Amino acid sequence: MATTTLTAPPPASSSINEQVRISLSTRDQSIDLPDPSGSILVSTRTYVHPFPASPPHYAASSPPSKHHTPTNSPTTGFKRRELSSLVNTLLTSATPIPFEFLINGQLLSTPLSSFLTDHGLDSESLLEIEYIRALLPPTPQASFEHDDWVGGADVLSPTSPAAAAPDAAPLQPGHERILSGSFDGSLRVWDTSARVLAVSKGAGASDAHGNRRLGDGAHPQIFAAKWLSPTLVVAGGMSCYLRVMRYAETASTDAATPTASLVPALNLHGHTMPVRALDVHAGSQTLLSGSDDRTACLWSTDPTSPTLPPAPVTTTPASKRLKASPHHPTAGPLTTLTSHTDSITSLTFHPHDRTAAYTSSLDTSLKTWDLTTSRAIHTQTPSMHTPLLALRPLPDLNLLATAAARRILLLDPRIAAGKAVSARCAPSGMFVSGIAATRGERFRFASSSFDGTVRVWDVRNVRGPLSGGENAGGGQGEAEGEAMTGGGAGAGGTIKPLFRVGRQRKTNEGEGKVLGVVWDESLGLVSWGQDRAVQIDKTSKAGG
């Protein structure tokens, strides 16, 4: 395709300062331009004028080309839609592909004229623009209804962490499983068609009026649930101990509806108050748990291990202690982490080092732990007087996303506390309850909120100046954040959400809080909450 056939002269009313020269490129070979386009002169008011290396002589009567977009309004700016149309024309795409555009590592979210003004650029500048496939808005896939609030959930898929457990059989697409833990005390396993395959025994239920009540005494409300492997799950909550259960599927006469079971395998004792958070390192068969007792525990999750530590002797009064069945094996923690002064709200293994971990707490601190010595080696307070509610690493960026009340902060855990904040996300309507990242999205993550929504974020979607407020940070922290994110998160602006996802199931007033979210590369966004449902919203890239 010759670039010399792509243009028409801009209208006489278009002044030179309304035009800018751009260069288009991509790292995705599947959407690379078939012919080098050179630099392209575009009008910031939607006139397009490609400018090849050796521009031809245009006759005054040359008809407008297919790249020329007439301007109906003199104030209309050349936006992402016009750029996307231009790239699709250059690609001669049979089916148009929506694109996003990056300039200096930042997503273009304003007209080109506004971008030039905001960044102090003039018409002589050459804008090097990288185009990428746009992330499509999440689409509803399924809603798994429960009898009570859902406190925790997790996904087993070919791309989930549990699939990497030792000796795990390869998982095939289409055989994904959803684990949910409810306030009625039950664990359930579902297929993607919202069919219940297995339910743990001894669970309570809501009464005839829909009021929540605890389970049978041994299995009260569940606040966290995880897949350890394709055959093991774990749950924690009001019982103060962790239940490890063995999951198995057996063939049935109806191949489309397999039968399955959840059988107790191991009880882990070490906490003296409710368990609020879990994280699994499937490769080493270890587990982290965080509790209202202000401690985090590291556990072995292999029920067959001959070296499991014995369960500790509890000092909790018998009247306040929920007893586990004496018929199940028990074990204690490998180590207990003590340094926080209030409830631990979230925790995670270091994404590249299983001997390190991070914890967040209502005491406003984020701690980095050496699990081999059980010592807190670094403490940060990124938001003074604000409890930290959720935590998730962004591995490719060397950042941690943590929720400080209604706002998500991106931190570099290696930097001094006063300079650790690399960027802030726009505040949610209510408290942030969970943060999730996925392997297939380097710069994007999701969050759940008590306002009844799940938000999808891109650290490069930065707009406006960095908002003031608590512990603004700066200096070294912002510089390193900029280097790691390609200029987006450290560029001095506020990160805006790409999408907001509401709930499919209607609830009573006051029961709309989303309590958590997982972003699975295979299934998409999996969220749960007070609407008594686990909801799946599919995420995909344009043309993918």
Side-chain angles (χ1 to χ4, degrees):
M1 180 180 64
T3 58
T4 56
T5 65
L6 302 176
T7 70
S13 60
S14 176
S15 60
I16 189 66
N17 60 7
E18 292 176 342
Q19 298 174 341
V20 66
R21 194 169 283 115
I22 66 173
S23 174
L24 295 169
S25 64
T26 185
R27 303 181 191 185
D28 186 344
Q29 295 183 356
S30 66
I31 53 173
D32 203 359
L33 296 177
D35 296 315
S37 61
S39 61
I40 302 174
L41 189 65
V42 299
S43 170
T44 57
R45 299 202 177 198
T46 71
Y47 304 122
V48 183
H49 187 107
F51 194 81
S54 301
H57 296 284
Y58 293 101
S61 59
S62 296
S65 75
K66 56 185 177 181
H67 284 279
H68 174 61
T69 305
T71 303
N72 297 322
S73 168
T75 60
T76 300
F78 198 82
K79 302 178 182 178
R80 182 176 68 87
R81 182 175 62 181
E82 285 78 26
L83 278 173
S84 191
S85 177
L86 172 60
V87 173
N88 274 289
T89 304
L90 293 170
L91 291 171
T92 63
S93 303
T95 302
I97 302 172
F99 291 107
E100 297 280 4
F101 297 90
L102 293 164
I103 304 177
N104 296 330
Q106 180 175 328
L107 283 177
L108 180 66
S109 57
T110 62
L112 275 178
S113 57
S114 299
F115 184 91
L116 293 175
T117 301
D118 294 343
H119 293 79
L121 302 175
D122 56 35
S123 59
E124 299 301 320
S125 304
L126 174 64
L127 289 184
E128 296 184 356
I129 302 178
E130 179 184 351
Y131 59 95
I132 59 175
R133 296 179 188 269
L135 183 69
L136 300 178
T139 55
Q141 295 295 301
S143 182
F144 306 160
E145 298 185 0
H146 295 64
D147 295 329
D148 211 333
W149 295 359
V150 182
D154 198 18
V155 176
L156 177 65
S157 75
T159 56
S160 66
D167 301 325
L171 292 173
Q172 300 301 319
H175 291 79
E176 295 85 357
R177 298 292 182 257
I178 310 296
L179 172 70
S180 65
S182 173
F183 274 41
D184 65 10
S186 64
L187 283 169
R188 294 176 175 86
V189 177
W190 311 69
D191 65 12
T192 53
S193 299
R195 293 177 296 191
V196 178
L197 303 180
V199 182
S200 61
K201 294 182 179 180
S206 299
D207 61 23
H209 303 287
N211 298 318
R212 297 184 312 279
R213 60 183 175 86
L214 298 182
D216 62 356
H219 304 296
Q221 296 162 319
I222 294 174
F223 299 146
K226 292 284 187 181
W227 287 97
L228 298 172
S229 72
T231 58
L232 289 174
V233 303
V234 63
M238 284 294 293
S239 64
C240 306
Y241 67 91
L242 305 180
R243 285 189 287 160
V244 177
M245 306 193 78
R246 195 173 300 280
Y247 175 73
E249 293 185 8
T250 57
S252 65
T253 54
D254 181 4
T257 309
T259 59
S261 61
L262 282 168
V263 178
L266 181 66
N267 291 329
L268 301 175
H269 293 267
H271 289 297
T272 59
M273 296 183 71
V275 176
R276 298 287 177 177
L278 299 173
D279 194 44
V280 175
H281 192 278
S284 62
Q285 294 183 290
T286 52
L287 167 73
L288 278 171
S289 62
S291 169
D292 285 346
D293 64 11
R294 302 175 292 180
T295 70
C297 290
L298 177 69
W299 315 83
S300 170
T301 60
D302 181 6
T304 63
S305 173
T307 59
L308 287 174
V313 177
T314 181
T315 58
T316 305
S319 60
K320 297 183 179 181
R321 188 165 63 243
L322 292 163
K323 297 180 180 179
S325 170
H327 304 295
H328 304 149
T330 62
L334 298 173
T335 188
T336 301
L337 311 178
T338 58
S339 182
H340 283 291
T341 59
D342 208 333
S343 299
I344 293 178
T345 56
S346 187
L347 40 68
T348 178
F349 284 95
H350 188 289
H352 306 302
D353 182 0
R354 67 183 181 89
T355 66
Y358 305 103
T359 57
S360 63
S361 170
L362 294 182
D363 65 13
T364 75
S365 71
L366 183 151
K367 294 183 182 290
T368 303
W369 298 87
D370 181 346
L371 298 180
T372 59
T373 63
S374 305
R375 294 181 57 191
I377 58 176
H378 191 39
T379 299
Q380 295 172 316
T381 306
S383 185
M384 297 295 290
H385 312 299
T386 305
L388 302 182
L389 306 178
L391 177 68
R392 187 56 48 193
L394 306 179
D396 293 323
L397 307 181
N398 292 323
L399 294 176
L400 289 174
T402 185
R406 298 186 305 121
R407 187 183 292 275
I408 296 174
L409 308 177
L410 300 187
L411 312 175
D412 186 336
R414 304 166 299 176
I415 295 177
K419 300 180 179 180
V421 177
S422 293
R424 289 169 170 78
C425 297
S428 301
M430 297 179 69
F431 287 167
V432 176
S433 56
I435 302 174
T438 182
R439 186 178 64 180
E441 296 290 347
R442 182 182 179 190
F443 296 99
R444 298 176 177 125
F445 62 94
S447 66
S448 57
S449 172
F450 284 1
D451 66 6
T453 66
V454 169
R455 287 170 168 80
V456 178
W457 308 84
D458 190 313
V459 300
R460 303 163 296 182
N461 191 35
V462 181
R463 304 177 197 173
L466 182 65
S467 57
E470 73 281 68
N471 220 19
Q476 179 184 359
E478 292 187 6
E480 293 205 14
E482 179 175 349
M484 285 180 287
T485 62
T494 298
I495 299 173
K496 300 291 185 179
L498 295 177
F499 308 110
R500 291 180 177 88
V501 182
R503 305 302 287 171
Q504 300 175 30
R505 188 180 188 188
K506 294 183 177 181
T507 59
N508 299 325
E509 185 177 356
E511 289 194 337
K513 296 178 181 178
V514 182
L515 301 180
V517 62
V518 171
W519 193 350
D520 181 71
E521 188 176 358
S522 299
L523 293 186
L525 298 170
V526 179
S527 58
W528 58 91
Q530 289 184 345
D531 61 352
R532 308 181 184 191
V534 173
Q535 178 174 311
I536 298 180
D537 294 276
K538 182 68 175 178
T539 55
S540 58
K541 293 181 181 178

